[in-house]
Structure formats: C-alpha cells, structure tokens
Amino acid sequence: MDTSSPASPARRDVLRGAALGTTALAATAAGAAGTPDTAALRAAVKADHDVNIKRLQDWIALPTIAAEGRNIDQGVAHMTQLARDAGFQTVETIKPAKGIPAVFATMDNGAKKTLGLYFMYDVKQFDPAEWSSPPLEGRIVDRAGMGKVLIGRGATNQKGPESMMLAALHAFKKTGRKPPVNLVLIAEGEEEIGSPNFAEIVRTPKVLAALKKCSGVIIPFPSQAPGNGNVSVNLGAKGVIELELVASGEKWGRGPAKDLHSSNKAIVDSPAWHLVEALATLVTPDGNTPAIDGWFEHVLPLTPREKALIADSAAKRDQAREMAQMGVKKFVGDMTWQETLERLAAMPTINIEGLVAGYTGPGGKTVLPARAVAKIDMRLVPAQTKDDCVAKLKAHLAKRGFGDIEVNVSGGYDPTQTDENSALIKAELATCARAGIQTTVYPRLAGSWPGYVFTSAPVSQPAGQFGFGHGSGAHAPDEYLLIESSNPKVLGYDDAVMGYVDFLHQIAATG
C-alpha cells in the first residue's frame, strides 16, 4: 500500500512544471517542433476537466463486448463521433469480410511527421455482482494512498487512456491550434477476442497507405507505477491465442450423447475426464511450462542486451509492491527478482481461463456430462507465430489420442518487437525525462496488443505503448483509472493529458 502523504499545492505545481514541459529543455525541444503556447493548452485542459471526465464516463456507460455481440452498432457510432469531435477531418468505418467494423480517421495538420494511434473501443465482459461500484457508472471514489480513482469497465483498458489522448486533441482544438504532427487513427472493436480481423482492416489499401506515412504507432497506456511513478518502456509485447478445447461424447465416440445420471460412470466414459487428461499433457506437472511437442522450436532466447535491460529494471522496480498489487505471495520457482522478470519476458505460456462441464449451480447434481470445455489463452514470444502454434497444438493432441477434441480458435496474433533505437522509443524516453520520470526499458510487455500488424510487413513501423498516469484491474472487477493523485510522483488525469501534448511535440522534434 502506498503510504505517501498528499502533495502540497506548491509541490504539485513543481511536479506539473517538470511534467508538462515548462523546463528550459522542454522549451528548446518545443521550439524545434513549432510548439504553440503550452500554458494555453494546460489552461484548456484544466477548464475542461469535468467535460473530459464526463466524456469518459459516457463511453464507459456504453460497453461494446465483441464476445457477446453487445452494442456493436452503437459502439461503432460512438467511436466515430468521438473521432469527429476531437478534430479528425476524415472519419469512416472499415468493414472486414466478417466481424466487427473498425473506425479509420485522419487529421492533416500540415506537419512534416505523422503519428499513428491505435484505439480499441471494445471491453471485456463483467459481472456487476463482483464490483464494489457499478461497472458502467464510472463512479469516482477515494482510494487510500492514491487519491481519487474512476471505477468502471474500460477505465484503464483502454477507454481511460484513450480519452486522455482525445482530451489533448480537444485542448488543441479549443485553443485554435493544430497539433504538431499529423494523425492516423485506427480503432477496432474486436481486440478483446484476439483481433481476428484486424490484419485485414489494416491492410485495406487506404488504411495501409496512411499508416505507411507514420513515424510510428502508439496505443495510449497509463504506464506509471503506483508507488514511485516510474515508467517501464516496453520494446514489444507477447502475442496471444484465444481458443476453446471441447471434448464431447459425440466427437469422441465414447461417453454419453447427452448428460447421464452419474451412477452410469461405472460403465460409461467421461468426456470431462478425457479433457482433463488432454490438458495435463500440454504443460509440465506443475502447470508452469508448456510441454507441447516442438513448442520451443522457434523461441528466441534473451539477448545479452535484453538481459542487461531486465537487470536494470529489476534494480528499479519494487518487487514487494508488485506482488502485493497482484495479490500473490510467491512467484514460480521462488527465483530471484531478476530471474522472475527474465522469465516474465522470455517464457511463452499456456493458461486455463475457465473450465465448464455439466452442472455448476448451487448444491450438487449427479450427472455425467456429455460435453466439457476448457477456455485457453496462450502467450507467444519471438519468433513464435499464431498459425504455427495452433498447428503444433493440434498435432500434439492427435499424437496422444486426443484428436477428437475440438480446437476452436476465436482470435489471436503474433508477438511484436520494436528497436530501442527507433525514433518512437527515443521520443517516449525523452518525454519521460523532461517530466522527471524515471524509466526502465523492458524487452516486452507480458500482456498483448495487436502491434504486430504495425511492426511487420507491409506496414513495418515501430509501435509501442505510451502514456502517464496510473490505472489497474484490466479484465477484473473494480478496474480503475487515477483521476486526482495524492502521490506527487504519479500524475493525475489532467497532467497525464498534458503528457500526451508534450509527447506529440517530442515526436515532431525527434529525428
């Protein structure tokens, strides 16, 4: 728990001065990029604080959930209007052959450089009974050691940080100034089901042509640690595969065609046990290392440089605080902190999201289920690919007598990697430095986003996450975003918005 006391007004002013580009260094970089009056922009952000928060709350109140087919048309329309309101001159929907449309928008500011923005307007499912505050209300509450936070589905993943970027663009618009870079926005509505159609959308000729003009692509991301405010700049992200493994009496040719009374287990095979046996072959006995045939064939080991970056990260990150935030007392293997962070970056994973079979209500119901389902996600590292890993999974199951088990892939994509010497990463680090925020560089985010579409051919541009502020609880109950910070090391909403303003200027100034 953060025990920092609230910052005094004077200390907050000093922090804002450092964070929002008022140092001599910031002025120098700003001048090179043709920066407008930063004070006017800051005043606009402050004046529109309530408007910006209300925009986020309204967005949270409209959840687009691809897995449930919920609010698809409304979500597309809302994202379209958000882009228009922020000043994008051309806004249109791009419809894949199947699936949910994306929103494509461009803003020509007559600048020399162009930045790509990746948004997602969909969110994960939620159960209101698990939340302390209504998940669609966006209620602002006090949180000890942090300040005021906004609770809601999408608060940190990703509507909150995306709303900060939109708020920055509104500040430019309100002050009658143009952002220092041109902008290309692509917002999808299927990220939370593994972006199954995103590559098709990006490779649409008009979208591809626009993205190829970009210096890089970012996904807004509230990246500050809640205690010391440090930022980890990730050079990539793991890939992901989402799928279901389904065992059934019908496909297996054994077991019941429909649920039976459990007394028949003495003479009838169980699809549920069949699935459990299959699952046990996918990992080592402790469940922590993939054991699929050939799984590590293309896995690249950490380079000496990556290990050095991780060592620096381990020295600057607070292990005890991160464990407390995760609610864990032990990490796999009881390794050192540095070894743990190396494993986090380098190890592909196979995770059981959920197991469903038979009766799951109150009390018991003595049935022998005819069908069992395991919901699985797999995280991939360079140079694994989605297609190769799915093929290896199917071959592994078939070789062991589980070829009847259905492998239903719902989405996924390859890992992504960006050169630490790219202009995009340099701009991120420079923006953090001007804000007085300590950074570490980490090989890759353990989570996933479809950045591979941007870093691979034919787009072939650097891509990464960027943003200040703090949020947590993605995919979980009580997801939150910090609005008013009581910790002088961590920026609240308005200051994080100004961080995006500064970043745009830095992109314009970085060679």
Side-chain angles (χ1 to χ4, degrees):
M1 178 178 292
D2 189 346
T3 56
S4 301
S5 60
S8 67
R11 289 186 70 191
R12 283 195 296 268
D13 288 343
V14 169
L15 176 68
R16 290 192 179 104
L20 306 184
T22 59
T23 64
L25 177 59
T28 300
T35 304
D37 184 357
T38 303
L41 290 164
R42 191 181 311 121
V45 171
K46 182 178 180 180
D48 283 352
H49 174 85
D50 291 345
V51 173
N52 292 334
I53 297 301
K54 181 63 163 54
R55 183 184 303 114
L56 173 56
Q57 290 170 325
D58 289 345
W59 201 3
I60 285 173
L62 180 65
T64 296
I65 302 177
E68 298 175 350
R70 181 173 177 182
N71 292 328
I72 303 303
D73 292 341
Q74 299 93 323
V76 174
H78 194 82
M79 183 67 247
T80 299
Q81 193 60 50
L82 286 173
R84 289 198 178 106
D85 292 345
F88 285 89
Q89 297 125 346
T90 65
V91 185
E92 61 181 300
T93 57
I94 304 294
K95 297 181 179 180
K98 58 181 180 178
I100 297 172
V103 175
F104 169 59
T106 60
M107 185 188 297
D108 184 353
N109 297 311
K112 293 181 179 179
K113 293 188 177 181
T114 301
L115 177 69
L117 300 175
Y118 169 82
F119 279 20
M120 49 181 280
Y121 63 85
D122 65 320
V123 297
K124 273 293 186 186
Q125 306 91 311
F126 56 88
D127 180 356
E130 298 175 342
W131 292 61
S132 66
S133 180
L136 300 184
E137 186 175 309
R139 185 179 296 175
I140 296 177
V141 303
D142 291 319
R143 176 156 295 193
M146 288 190 181
K148 294 186 182 296
V149 302
L150 183 150
I151 295 179
R153 177 54 84 225
T156 191
N157 181 31
Q158 284 291 132
K159 292 179 178 179
E162 290 168 354
S163 78
M164 291 174 175
M165 175 58 81
L166 294 175
L169 298 180
H170 276 274
F172 281 106
K173 186 177 179 181
K174 184 173 184 176
T175 57
R177 294 165 167 84
K178 292 182 179 181
V181 294
N182 307 315
L183 296 170
V184 174
L185 169 69
I186 186 72
E188 70 161 322
E190 295 183 311
E191 198 282 337
E192 295 294 13
I193 58 170
S195 305
N197 302 294
F198 191 54
E200 176 190 343
I201 290 166
V202 165
R203 291 162 189 165
T204 301
K206 66 177 75 174
V207 178
L208 178 60
L211 287 170
K212 286 182 74 68
K213 296 177 183 177
C214 294
S215 299
V217 181
I218 65 159
I219 173 174
F221 187 70
S223 56
Q224 286 188 273
N228 56 23
N230 290 357
V231 167
S232 181
V233 176
N234 295 297
L235 300 179
K238 289 183 178 180
V240 69
I241 303 171
E242 286 199 286
L243 57 86
E244 289 184 343
L245 297 179
V246 182
S248 65
E250 178 185 4
K251 294 287 186 179
W252 188 18
R254 307 185 69 88
K258 60 181 180 180
D259 289 2
L260 287 178
H261 191 281
S262 65
S263 63
N264 291 296
K265 180 64 195 79
I267 58 173
V268 179
D269 290 303
S270 166
W273 281 116
H274 185 55
L275 179 60
V276 168
E277 286 185 290
L279 292 171
T281 73
L282 303 183
V283 292
T284 53
D286 61 6
N288 293 326
T289 303
I292 294 173
D293 295 337
W295 197 250
F296 289 88
E297 177 186 2
H298 301 301
V299 170
L300 297 179
L302 292 173
T303 65
R305 175 58 178 165
E306 288 174 330
K307 287 187 176 182
L309 292 174
I310 292 173
D312 180 64
S313 183
K316 295 176 180 176
R317 290 169 63 171
D318 187 336
Q319 178 182 1
R321 187 178 185 93
E322 291 193 30
M323 292 179 77
Q325 188 175 5
M326 295 169 68
V328 300
K329 296 181 179 179
K330 298 283 186 180
F331 283 131
V332 168
D334 295 324
M335 298 178 291
T336 66
W337 184 222
Q338 181 174 331
E339 289 170 337
T340 296
L341 293 180
E342 287 181 359
R343 182 181 173 91
L344 182 65
M347 178 61 66
T349 63
I350 299 175
N351 176 58
I352 299 175
E353 298 176 357
L355 289 169
V356 184
Y359 178 70
T360 59
K365 183 180 180 183
T366 52
V367 295
L368 170 56
R371 188 173 185 270
V373 179
K375 293 181 177 292
I376 303 290
D377 69 64
M378 301 170 169
R379 303 286 172 171
L380 314 181
V381 300
Q384 291 181 300
T385 65
K386 171 195 168 188
D387 291 345
D388 181 64
C389 288
V390 170
K392 281 183 166 66
L393 169 64
K394 291 179 178 179
H396 174 95
L397 291 172
K399 181 179 177 180
R400 286 160 178 77
F402 301 109
D404 59 281
I405 292 179
E406 299 174 67
V407 180
N408 299 326
V409 178
S410 58
Y413 40 80
D414 299 344
T416 179
Q417 198 76 10
T418 289
D419 189 336
E420 80 174 289
N421 295 311
S422 66
L424 182 72
I425 299 301
K426 288 180 178 179
E428 291 190 23
L429 292 171
T431 306
C432 292
R434 275 209 311 283
I437 294 173
Q438 188 177 54
T439 59
T440 58
V441 179
Y442 195 70
R444 68 191 57 90
L445 185 72
S448 306
W449 73 289
Y452 87 100
V453 176
F454 306 119
T455 57
S456 62
V459 179
S460 302
Q461 300 288 7
Q465 308 89 26
F466 176 79
F468 297 146
H470 169 71
S472 189
H475 298 186
D478 288 348
E479 178 182 352
Y480 69 87
L481 181 74
L482 183 64
I483 303 298
E484 296 181 19
S485 180
S486 62
N487 181 351
K489 297 179 180 179
V490 184
L491 302 189
Y493 190 93
D494 289 356
D495 291 342
V497 170
M498 286 304 298
Y500 285 108
V501 170
D502 196 30
F503 178 68
L504 294 180
H505 292 142
Q506 186 60 53
I507 287 289
T510 301

